[in-house]
Amino acid sequence: MLNVEVLTLFPELVEQVVRHGIPRKAVECGALALRTRNFRDYGAAGDRRVDDRTYGGGPGMVLDAESLARTVAAAKAALGPAAKVIALSPQGARLDQHWVRRLATETALVLVCGRYEGWDERAAGLFDAEVSLGDFVLSGGELAAMAMVDALARLLPGAVGDQASVEYDSFSAGLLDHPHYTRPEVWRGAAVPEVLLSGDHARIARWRLKQALGVTWLKRPDLLADLELSDEQRRLLREYIAETGMDQPGAAAPAKD
Ligand code: 9WO
């Protein structure tokens, strides 16, 4: 059971994440609880004001440290002192599936969503970690927090009907996903690979692993560099490279004559 509190000026935005799909199922089956807490209910000035002008001048406002600290304290009082406090910001460490897997084993998380130009730097000591989805700026941390909740929800036991589909998913082995096909067998002249129609499950599994290795080699050689491939995986990748006639990571397919 994972308890998540999201601290935000836009609670109704964040609550949307559990209205659909896997996050909704995770809540329904009791694997996930999502609550929001509005900084405005903890305004340090005694009113609903939680932002102030920046020292040093310039445009823009920042969340003041005391309002943020009070909101975090209320969240920790609700969730218990073991709750990890994570801020979403472009300054954070890059979130990846390793991080998501580790966070999914926690019992309580507080996700802090900044707005405006961010928060008073003196409040950053309240965070156990700062996390970023990538090198871009949003108008606030909410969409990043929602993405995190979604990524966490699908790892919680019970949330995904077929747990095998989580295990075999993209990134489960540090690889990109293999290609997928559905009906019809021939679409605009393009046929489904014969092996997928064979009913030979061992052969299909081998083909899929080979494709996953090959696609990762082509599109994300950096991911492959982080892996220790087994002898079998090496052999499959060599086969993929031989079959597709490409011998350089990132190389385009040679022109067919
Ligand atoms: C605003 C800004 C304005 C001019 C130049 C640089 C600037 N940076 C920011 C900024 O970082 N604003 C943040 C808005 C303050 C914290 C919450 N906000 C946020 C979070 N924007 N983007 C994220 C985010 C979070 C996770 N992954 C990617 C982006």
Side-chain angles (χ1 to χ4, degrees):
M1 168 65 176
L2 177 62
N3 262 299
V4 180
E5 275 218 12
V6 181
L7 315 188
T8 173
L9 288 168
F10 297 94
E12 57 297 315
L13 167 61
V14 172
E15 281 154 14
Q16 296 304 313
V17 70
V18 289
R19 287 196 44 192
H20 302 276
I22 290 172
R24 175 185 177 149
K25 259 196 92 191
V27 169
E28 284 170 356
C29 79
L32 172 70
L34 180 77
R35 296 210 163 66
T36 54
R37 202 175 282 275
N38 195 328
F39 296 115
R40 292 205 188 284
D41 296 331
Y42 301 87
D47 54 24
R48 292 179 67 77
R49 167 147 220 171
V50 294
D51 61 333
D52 211 335
R53 291 166 309 193
T54 66
Y55 279 118
M61 307 289 278
V62 290
L63 278 169
D64 71 76
E66 183 60 20
S67 301
L68 178 52
R70 289 184 184 187
T71 317
V72 170
K76 280 198 151 186
L79 293 177
K84 294 277 184 324
V85 181
I86 298 182
L88 290 311
S89 94
Q91 280 100 328
R94 182 65 163 268
L95 185 73
D96 62 15
Q97 195 65 14
H98 299 287
W99 257 92
V100 176
R101 269 192 217 113
R102 198 155 48 76
L103 291 173
T105 68
E106 298 284 341
T107 55
L109 296 174
V110 179
L111 305 183
V112 179
C113 303
R115 278 273 157 177
Y116 322 123
E117 314 317 307
W119 39 73
D120 188 311
E121 185 61 28
R122 292 169 293 184
L126 299 165
F127 309 144
D128 294 301
E130 260 183 83
V131 175
S132 167
L133 301 189
D135 294 335
F136 51 89
V137 181
L138 297 165
S139 51
E142 285 80 7
L143 288 166
M146 291 164 78
M148 254 182 92
V149 168
D150 185 287
L152 287 164
R154 49 186 303 294
L155 295 188
L156 301 176
V160 177
D162 182 6
Q163 202 60 29
S165 77
V166 171
E167 270 162 54
Y168 290 123
D169 243 326
S170 184
F171 287 113
S172 66
L175 298 172
L176 299 181
D177 208 358
H178 57 77
H180 300 270
Y181 298 85
T182 185
R183 292 188 296 175
E185 268 185 48
V186 179
W187 179 74
R188 298 189 182 177
V192 172
E194 168 281 287
V195 54
L196 298 178
L197 310 174
S198 69
D200 181 341
H201 297 296
R203 228 182 114 216
I204 291 169
R206 230 178 85 88
W207 180 86
R208 285 181 170 160
L209 177 56
K210 188 201 287 189
Q211 296 297 315
L213 288 160
V215 167
T216 307
W217 174 76
L218 279 174
K219 297 186 176 172
R220 292 293 307 277
D222 59 307
L223 293 178
L224 216 49
D226 292 341
L227 296 176
E228 289 268 7
L229 296 188
S230 67
D231 289 346
E232 164 74 350
Q233 289 175 328
R234 263 175 233 288
R235 189 160 54 242
L236 288 171
L237 180 54
R238 270 200 306 273
E239 280 179 28
Y240 179 94
I241 294 167
E243 285 166 16
T244 53
M246 296 181 227
D247 52 12
Q248 292 282 308
K256 291 208 179 84
D257 45 43

